[in-house]
Every structure is written in structure tokens, then in C-alpha cells.
Amino acid sequence: MIRRFTDEIQGWLLKKSSLQLHVPHMVMYLDIEVRMPDGKRVEHRHQRSKSFVRNAYNLFFHTIAGYPMSDGTWGDGFVNLKNTGGSLSSGSYRGFCFSTDGNGQGFLSPGSANDFGIVVGTGTGAESFDGYALGTKIAIGNGVGQLYTLRSEDPVDSYGSLTQKRTLVRYFNNNSGATIILGEIGLIARIITGGDTSMYALFSRDLITPTVDILDKAQLKVTYTISLVYPS
């Protein structure tokens, strides 16, 4: 509780300074909710997401500075993207962009896929700035250790008080017959590269501490709210 309060105070101070300096200020919140079939809520978490990885920073700099993707070296001083399989995307083309809104593009994944969008896992390994995949992704299905993964909800967009906001939601049902431990949540994008091919790139990985029990027959709801504050 103290840590969360401290985070909010620091976030408020950063927002105030950003507005005064006319520097972009982006915030992302993560909301976790577990409900039983009768609607009873058995778990709820709300926290600031602070786990953007190198991919997110590289794509931001590539876009804002018009900086070309570097060679096949990953790490400090190089601007490229690493997909969830560990391969780099760089070189001859300069443009990366999200597709237009639609299920199966960007962060909006169809229910039959957990390669991108909001993706959940059981991994509990420490967060890493160079991370590019979840530690242990939970498979789709109704079998042992699996979650029935629904399609991404349509995003909800709003603007008010000089703040542009987008809310992303995805549901997961536990029909496995046993409790599944939630240890990590990732936000993975399907990106169309300059060569008109697609790749999956992890933008953030939030370690869930303490872990969350997804009881048998329970439904997990994960919400990411991303906002950008504009100067007056």
C-alpha cells in the first residue's frame, strides 16, 4: 500500500513537471479482476504499469526521431525490435506501424490466438528491460493448466481534461478443473513492418506480486488503460 501511494505521488509530480516543460507524459495502468460464475469478485488489483521494455523505447525513438532500424545487434546504442521468438527485425527498411484497428491487429487479438494482445503467464522471473517474451505463457484451451482465451474486446477511446485515453480489455476463463497461478502479464503487439510482413513484439511485462489465484470456473479480466496528457 505504501509503495503504491509513493508511486502515485511520484507520478503526480512527474505529470506536473511534464506539463510545465511541455514534455509528453504517458501513463499506463493495469487492472486485474477475478470473478466466479455467480458474479462474486474474489480478487482485484489496480496498479501502475512501469514495465516497458527495450522494444517500446526503440519503437518510440524510431518513430519520433525518424531513426532507421540498426543492424542485427541487440542492446545499448542499437535501435531495432526483438520478436517474441528472440529474432531481431532491422536493416533495409525504416518503417514500422500498427495496422488499423481490428481484431487480429495491433494489440487486438482474436480468441484463437495468444501470440499477441494481452497475454498471461505463470512465470515469476524478475522483470528485465531487455525482456522480449513472457517467462511461461499459459496455453489456450480447457485442459490442465490452460485458460480459454476470449478475443480482445474492442478498445474504448476517450478524450477529456487534455488527456487522450485508450482502454484495452481481455477475458480468460478457467475450465481446467484446478486453480491456475497468474504470475505475469504481457502486452504484445502485432506489428506490420516496412516489408509488409508481421512480427510479434513485447512492449511491457508486468510481474504480478503476489501472484493471483485463478480458481477453477473463475473468469479473469485484464485491463490496460493507456493515457497521454497534452499541454494546454
Side-chain angles (χ1 to χ4, degrees), residues 41-71:
R41 189 169 71 178
V42 295
E43 182 71 65
H44 181 239
R45 304 272 183 90
H46 181 74
Q47 64 189 60
R48 185 182 290 264
S49 176
K50 303 179 295 181
S51 306
F52 289 107
V53 296
R54 187 179 296 277
N55 277 333
Y57 278 75
N58 282 351
L59 185 60
F60 174 78
F61 188 71
H62 162 74
T63 303
I64 202 73
Y67 193 92
M69 290 292 170
S70 306
D71 63 18

Side-chain angles (χ1 to χ4, degrees), residues 20 32 43 49 83 115 123 186 228:
Q20 290 173 340
I32 303 167
E43 182 71 65
S49 176
N83 67 24
D115 295 317
L228 179 65

